[in-house]
Amino acid sequence: MEGVAVPGERLGSTEDFTSGGGTYECDGYVYASVTGFVKKQASQKVGQPPTVRIVRNESQHLVLPEIGSTVTCKVTSINSNVCKASIICVGPVHVKDPFRGIIRKDDVRATEKDKVEMYKCFRPGDIIRAKVISLGDAQSYIMSTAENELGVIFAESEAGAAMIPVSWCHMQCPKTKVKENRKVAKVHN
């Protein structure tokens, strides 16, 4: 049970644990109310279950995505409605263990949302910059690339070369000159 928990994640039943800091009880279960490390502490009273609590700043190296955080992710899979990605950096800080995130079709662009085709925006292996818009559920953070500065920042072509952005929706292989569709992040000069 040790590890990282996010708000709303079930930590155990009230028969097994007493609710401590950063948790709450509901319908016979203890849930996390904040994001952080799960810690158990033995009870000093005989017969009472251990206390479970959430510790937010156990280490100065702990960085967790929050609403509004800009994150760097690696695309893991895509379907027609959702892009799944592993969050590898929060701001400029690399995270020890990647977090899961998703980008929904409606959160790819700010305009022409009905014309978004996920396969033309992202590909598995792409590195993207996104913004956390919701803590989601216990499974994934919900992210958006609906700003000019957000989107694909690195993609590898089929020839194995790092692709070059040529427009907001295309990247080009420097070897083969083949253009591929992507939701490209605006590069700051």
Side-chain angles (χ1 to χ4, degrees):
M1 151 113 98
E2 302 290 321
V4 176
V6 295
E9 185 172 342
R10 186 188 299 183
L11 303 173
S13 78
T14 53
E15 294 175 6
D16 298 330
F17 299 105
T18 301
S19 178
T23 69
Y24 64 94
E25 292 181 20
C26 183
D27 297 327
Y29 291 96
V30 178
Y31 295 89
S33 62
V34 296
T35 302
F37 285 106
V38 179
K39 295 293 172 193
K40 291 187 295 185
Q41 184 175 0
S43 175
Q44 295 181 357
K45 295 181 182 177
V46 177
Q48 188 173 356
T51 300
V52 64
R53 61 190 175 97
I54 305 296
V55 179
R56 293 195 74 153
N57 294 324
E58 174 156 287
S59 163
Q60 293 300 321
H61 303 292
L62 173 64
V63 178
L64 298 169
E66 296 177 351
I67 294 174
S69 296
T70 299
V71 294
T72 304
C73 317
K74 183 173 185 177
V75 176
T76 55
S77 68
I78 302 166
N79 66 36
S80 59
N81 294 314
V82 173
C83 169
K84 294 181 180 180
S86 291
I87 299 172
I88 54 178
C89 293
V90 177
V93 181
H94 182 75
V95 295
K96 181 179 175 187
D97 296 313
F99 297 98
R100 290 186 295 222
I102 62 169
I103 300 171
R104 300 174 298 199
K105 186 176 179 177
D106 289 345
D107 298 321
V108 173
R109 291 196 308 236
T111 60
E112 298 180 335
K113 294 179 182 188
D114 57 326
K115 296 181 181 179
V116 170
E117 294 179 53
M118 295 301 278
Y119 300 104
K120 290 185 176 182
C121 297
F122 311 107
R123 302 262 172 89
D126 287 357
I127 304 297
I128 60 174
R129 184 180 304 126
K131 185 169 281 187
V132 176
I133 58 172
S134 171
L135 299 180
D137 55 20
Q139 301 298 315
S140 300
Y141 289 91
I142 298 174
M143 305 178 297
S144 170
T145 56
E147 295 177 19
N148 291 341
E149 296 78 25
L150 306 175
V152 177
I153 56 176
F154 175 83
E156 191 173 295
S157 71
E158 299 216 4
M163 297 179 71
I164 300 166
V166 292
S167 73
W168 67 273
C169 62
H170 290 98
M171 295 183 97
Q172 184 174 30
C173 174
K175 289 182 181 178
T176 64
K177 305 298 183 203
V178 172
K179 289 183 182 178
E180 292 184 19
N181 292 319
R182 294 291 199 285
K183 193 302 185 180
V184 181
K186 181 179 179 181
V187 180
H188 296 285
N189 294 333

